[in-house]
Amino acid sequence: MIEDGGRRGRTMAEKRQIFVEMRSQNFDTIRLSTYRTACKLQFVQKKCNLHLVDVWNLIEAFRDNGLNTLDHSTELSVSRLETIVSSIFYQLNKRLPTTHQINVQQSINLLLNFLVTAHDGEGHGKMTVFSVKVMLAIMCGGKIVDKLRYIFSQISDTHGAMTLSKFDHFLKEGLKLPAAVFEGPSFGYTEHAAQSCFPQQKKVMLNTFLDTLMTDQPPQCLVWLPLMHRLANVENVFHPVSCSYCHSEGMVGFRYRCQQCYSYQLCQNCFWRGHANGNHSNQHQMKEHSSWKSPAKKLGRAISKSFGCVPSREPPHPVYPENPERPLDLSNIVPPRPVPNMNDSAPALSVSPGPVNRVQGIAAAQRMNEEHALIAAYVNKLQTSPRALDSPSRMDEEHRLIARYTSRLASEPSNTAKPAPLSFNANKQQRQLIAELENKNREILQEIQRLRVEHEQACRPTPEKAQQNPTLLAELRLLRQRKDELEQRMSALQESRRELMVQLEGLMKLLKEEEQRQAAQASASPHSSPSHASSRPIPMPVRSADSTPTHAGHSHPPQDSLAGVGGDVREAFAQGARRNLRNDLLVAADSITNTMSSLVKELHTVEDGGEEEEERLQNGKDRG
C-alpha cells in the first residue's frame, strides 16, 4: 500500500510537471485557437521525444507487441501500455547515435502519463487498442501523408472504402488530444463532426480522404493536425526581412504579409499575439508564408507563369490506387492441411501396408524430424543466448527456416497428390497433434518474451551495480584506458611502419638506378675517376610520422627527422656511404618489427590483466 501510494504520488507529480512547463511557455497568449492547440501539442511531442519516432517505427512496435492481431475494442492495462511505450523508446535509442541518446525512463513516464490523462482524466480506466494507435499516430513525427494513410487503413473496410462509424470513432479518440491540453471548447467532439467532414461523398476512398484532410482548408475539427506538421517544417526557415511591429532583423518560422497594407509584414510571434501598429488592424487579411523568395525570383516566376512555362500547382500527395493491396496467395506453396506425423497416424490410414508406403512413411518421418531439429536448435539458441533476440539476423534466420520448410513441403509429391481417406481416429489424432503444437508454440513465444524482458532488465544500469567495489571499478577503468592508449599507439606505429616500408622501397629503387647509372658511366668512360661517381649524393626522402620529407639535394637527412626512428636506422643514415645501405635498411625494418612485437605483447598483457580484474569483480559481486 505504501509503495502504491508513493507511485501514485510520483505519477501525479509527473502529470503536473509537463503541464506546468507548458504553462510557462505562455501559449495561452496566442489569440488564435488553431495555432494555440498546435503549439501545445508540438510542445508535448518534443517533451516526450515523439518527434524522433516515425509512424513506421510505431507500426513495427505495434507488431512486436502483438497489437496487429488484437481487435480495436480490446482493452489494454496500464502495464501493457507501459511495455509498448518502453519498446518504442528503447528501439529509438538503438537507432540514435551515442551523442544524441535520450532519457528513456523520463520519456516513458511523460508519454504514459499524458496518454492516460488524455484518455481518462481520473486515470482509472483502461485504454483500447484503437485509442493507443490513434493517439500515438497523431503525436509521432514523420510525414502527414504517411500518418493519414495508416489511420485510413485502420478505419477502412476490405474493399478500401472508409467506414463512417470507424471515422467517427477516430474523431472521438483523436479529439481527446486537444482536450488534454485544455482546448476542448474549441476542438471538442460532437455527434455531427464525422458527417460535416464528408457531407456529400457516400463512398470515401484513400485519395478523397487525403484530399480532404491535407487541403488548405481542412475540416474545422481537425484544422490543427496539418498545422502541427507545418510548424515542424518551418522551425528553421529564415526570412531576411524585418518585422513591421517588433523591428527584429529577420524572421524565423512563419511570415505573415498583410493583403491591404503595403509592405506590412509580421513575424509569427507578433501575429499570433495580435500585435499591430500604424494603419494596420487585426481585421485585415493576412497571408501566411513558409519560405522566402527574392524579388528577382518572384519576377522570373511571374514572367514564366505569364508565358505558361510554370506547371500548375502540384498535388499535396501522390495518387494511390483505390483498391487495397491483397496479401500474397501462398496456397500453392504451403499445403492447406497440416502434415500428420507418420509414426502416430500410420495405423489409422486405410491403405494396405506395402514396401512403397513404408519407405515413403519413413522418408517423411525423417524429413519432419530434420525440420523439428532445426526449429529446436533455433529455439535453444534463443534460450541460451539472450543477445540473439536483438540480433538483426534473427528475422533472416526465421525467414530462411520458413522458406526451407515450405519448399520441402511443396517439393513432396505426396502434398500435391490426392490425400488418402482418413478414419475417425486419424482425424482425432491430427486434432490432438495440432493442439499440442499450438500449446508448444505458445510456450515458446512466452519463453522468448520472458528472455527478452530479462535481457532488457539486465542491460539497464542500476545504482547498486555502480556502488559495488568502487576500487575494483576504478582499476578496471584505468586498465581499459591503458588498453585504449596502447591500441592508439599501436595503430600509429603501424601507420609509421607502412610509410617507412614505402620509403624503403623507394630507396631500393633509387639504389638500383644509381648502380645502373654508375655502371653505364663506367662503361662509357673507363678512364674517368671512380671516386667522382661515388661522391655524388643520392636523394633520400626520409621522414618520420610527424616530419616532412627532406629535400633531394641533401645526402644525409637532418637530425630532427630521425628523432622518432630506432638506433639502427639512425646509425645507418648517419654513417652514409661508409656502410652497406641495403643491409642498414634491412636492420631498420627488423627494428620496426621488434618494436611492434613488443607493443603487441604489452597490449596482450593489459588485456589479460583486464580480464582478471573483471573476473575478480564478478567474484566479488557473487560473494556480495
Side-chain angles (χ1 to χ4, degrees), residues 57 85 166 498 508 537 565 598-599:
N57 305 134
V85 174
K166 292 183 178 180
R498 186 185 63 80
M508 294 298 294
V565 186
S598 61
L599 183 60

Side-chain angles (χ1 to χ4, degrees), residues 42-218:
Q42 188 188 37
F43 172 79
V44 176
Q45 181 192 52
K46 290 187 175 182
K47 196 67 180 176
C48 299
N49 291 312
L50 271 180
H51 65 291
L52 303 174
V53 181
D54 196 80
V55 65
W56 306 109
N57 305 134
L58 283 182
I59 296 174
E60 182 182 359
F62 292 158
R63 290 179 178 176
D64 290 342
N65 290 274
L67 295 189
N68 57 328
T69 60
L70 299 178
D71 189 74
H72 284 174
S73 59
T74 305
E75 292 184 346
L76 301 176
S77 61
V78 178
S79 59
R80 179 75 180 276
L81 180 60
E82 184 178 3
T83 303
I84 298 171
V85 174
S86 301
S87 65
I88 293 173
F89 287 112
Y90 278 113
Q91 292 297 327
L92 172 63
N93 240 6
K94 292 180 181 178
R95 294 189 299 269
L96 293 177
T98 55
T99 56
H100 294 76
Q101 297 288 303
I102 64 172
N103 190 342
V104 176
Q105 194 60 41
Q106 182 181 2
S107 302
I108 293 173
N109 295 335
L110 290 177
L111 180 58
L112 186 64
N113 293 327
F114 178 76
L115 291 177
V116 174
T117 304
H119 184 266
D120 187 3
E122 299 296 330
H124 299 303
K126 297 182 178 181
M127 295 187 65
T128 61
V129 173
F130 186 74
S131 179
V132 173
K133 290 182 177 180
V134 169
M135 289 186 179
L136 290 179
I138 291 176
M139 294 298 295
C140 72
K143 297 180 180 179
I144 184 174
V145 63
D146 296 334
K147 289 185 178 183
L148 295 178
R149 286 180 61 193
Y150 174 70
I151 292 172
F152 186 82
S153 67
Q154 302 298 311
I155 61 176
S156 59
D157 56 13
T158 56
H159 301 288
M162 186 190 74
T163 305
L164 189 61
S165 60
K166 292 183 178 180
F167 179 70
D168 182 73
H169 193 193
F170 159 70
L171 290 180
K172 185 181 297 183
E173 298 296 335
L175 293 178
K176 289 179 180 179
L177 295 174
V181 292
F182 314 107
E183 296 296 332
S186 301
F187 301 102
Y189 170 76
T190 59
E191 296 181 356
H192 305 287
Q195 296 180 355
S196 63
C197 295
F198 302 96
Q200 299 178 356
Q201 289 85 356
K202 295 182 180 180
K203 186 177 182 181
V204 179
M205 307 302 289
L206 175 59
N207 293 315
T208 307
F209 180 78
L210 296 178
D211 291 338
T212 305
L213 296 186
M214 294 182 63
T215 185
D216 293 336
Q217 295 180 354

Side-chain angles (χ1 to χ4, degrees), residues 41 72 76 161 210 227 238 267 281 291 431 453 468 508 588:
L41 291 178
H72 284 174
L76 301 176
L210 296 178
L227 182 59
F238 179 75
C267 62
S281 173
S291 61
R431 288 194 296 269
V453 173
Q468 291 179 355
M508 294 298 294

